[in-house]
Amino acid sequence: QKEVEQNSGPLSVPEGAIASLNCTYSDRVSQSFFWYRQYSGKSPELIMSIYSNGDKEDGRFTAQLNKASQYVSLLIRDSQPSDSATYLCALGFQKLVFGTGTRLLVSP
Amino acid sequence: EAGVTQFPSHSVIEKGQTVTLRCDPISGHDNLYWYRRVMGKEIKFLLHFVKESKQDESGMPNNRFLAERTGGTYSTLKVQPAELEDSGVYFCASSQVGGRTGVETQYFGPGTRLLVL
């Protein structure tokens, strides 16, 4: 079993819809969780971090963490074509453990 | 403020040759990390420097890989001799612990794409 599991996608949503990206993990002691966005050929860019159970909102992005169920999700509201990218779930402190990423395609 | 930079952006070498990758972290960042993504796999941790000291090198695949950070500024990652399975994208990231909260954000460089033939 991988430490961090993500559906590779692609996840296709129409412009303006909500994109929901999910991630499950196996390490129960993890305290820090991150969502990175990576455009093709570019560096991963941190878009959200979450450390406690519940929701954390930042603009169109909402991260949700449920430590009991060991999952973390990312919601993107009002999806735009520019959101089309690979979204990487990561966890850990300093030594980050990544999932393989979910490719999101937002169609105009 | 300049981000994390890496050089070269691409490298194609033959099996058995040596390649040295360079990473310049964001100025003032004490933490420097190396990660690698092999095709089709997830990004994996290689090692972590705090200033010039190796804090954690548990992800280094074998002794063909040597990382240095002399002076605590830029870092190099040398692969000698390179093997086919070393092909992938090598990312560098840097961070500085965030004040009272202790929260740390790792900023990634664009990566070096290494192809070993």
Side-chain angles (χ1 to χ4, degrees):
Chain A
Q1 181 190 6
K2 289 185 178 179
E3 293 184 69
V4 180
E5 298 266 9
Q6 292 183 260
N7 189 317
S8 60
L11 173 66
S12 296
V13 300
E15 184 175 357
I18 296 175
S20 178
L21 304 161
N22 300 308
C23 170
T24 58
Y25 61 92
S26 59
D27 182 6
R28 288 190 170 274
V29 302
S30 290
Q31 297 294 318
S32 306
F33 304 85
F34 308 92
W35 282 100
Y36 282 82
R37 177 178 62 198
Q38 186 178 24
Y39 293 111
S40 182
K42 302 296 184 182
S43 56
E45 173 193 10
L46 182 68
I47 53 172
M48 288 289 285
S49 57
I50 187 165
Y51 307 98
S52 54
N53 280 327
D55 296 358
K56 179 182 177 183
E57 186 175 318
D58 184 2
R60 296 186 297 113
F61 299 98
T62 298
Q64 299 174 319
L65 175 61
N66 184 322
K67 292 185 179 180
S69 299
Q70 295 175 246
Y71 82 78
V72 56
S73 61
L74 179 70
L75 300 178
I76 306 175
R77 290 181 299 281
D78 188 24
S79 295
Q80 301 297 309
S82 58
D83 295 326
S84 298
T86 296
Y87 289 80
L88 304 168
C89 173
L91 55 88
F93 176 69
Q94 296 187 322
K95 177 181 177 179
L96 296 181
V97 179
F98 284 86
T100 53
T102 297
R103 188 172 167 219
L104 173 66
L105 297 175
V106 181
S107 54
Chain B
E1 178 183 301
V4 177
T5 58
Q6 293 186 244
F7 182 83
S9 59
H10 295 78
S11 180
V12 181
I13 61 173
E14 292 186 351
K15 175 183 172 180
Q17 289 186 319
T18 298
V19 63
T20 300
L21 314 180
R22 172 170 170 145
C23 168
D24 286 80
I26 293 172
S27 178
H29 280 192
D30 288 340
N31 295 306
L32 187 149
Y33 304 85
W34 283 99
Y35 292 87
R36 176 175 74 172
R37 184 168 196 165
V38 172
M39 185 177 290
K41 302 286 188 180
E42 68 275 18
I43 296 173
K44 284 196 170 181
F45 169 86
L46 294 178
L47 88 159
H48 169 209
F49 283 100
V50 177
K51 297 185 179 179
E52 68 275 7
S53 300
K54 291 177 184 175
Q55 182 77 10
D56 182 352
E57 51 184 328
S58 61
M60 294 288 264
N62 51 60
N63 58 11
R64 295 186 293 104
F65 289 75
L66 175 64
E68 295 180 325
R69 193 183 182 194
T70 307
T73 53
Y74 71 91
S75 174
T76 58
L77 179 64
K78 182 163 73 173
V79 185
Q80 178 183 32
E83 298 290 345
L84 300 180
E85 64 265 24
D86 301 332
S87 296
V89 183
Y90 290 76
F91 290 103
C92 175
S94 72
S95 71
Q96 189 64 285
V97 176
R100 290 181 300 143
T101 64
V103 170
E104 183 177 325
T105 297
Q106 293 188 27
Y107 297 90
F108 280 74
T112 293
R113 283 146 187 81
L114 174 64
L115 179 59
V116 182
L117 300 175

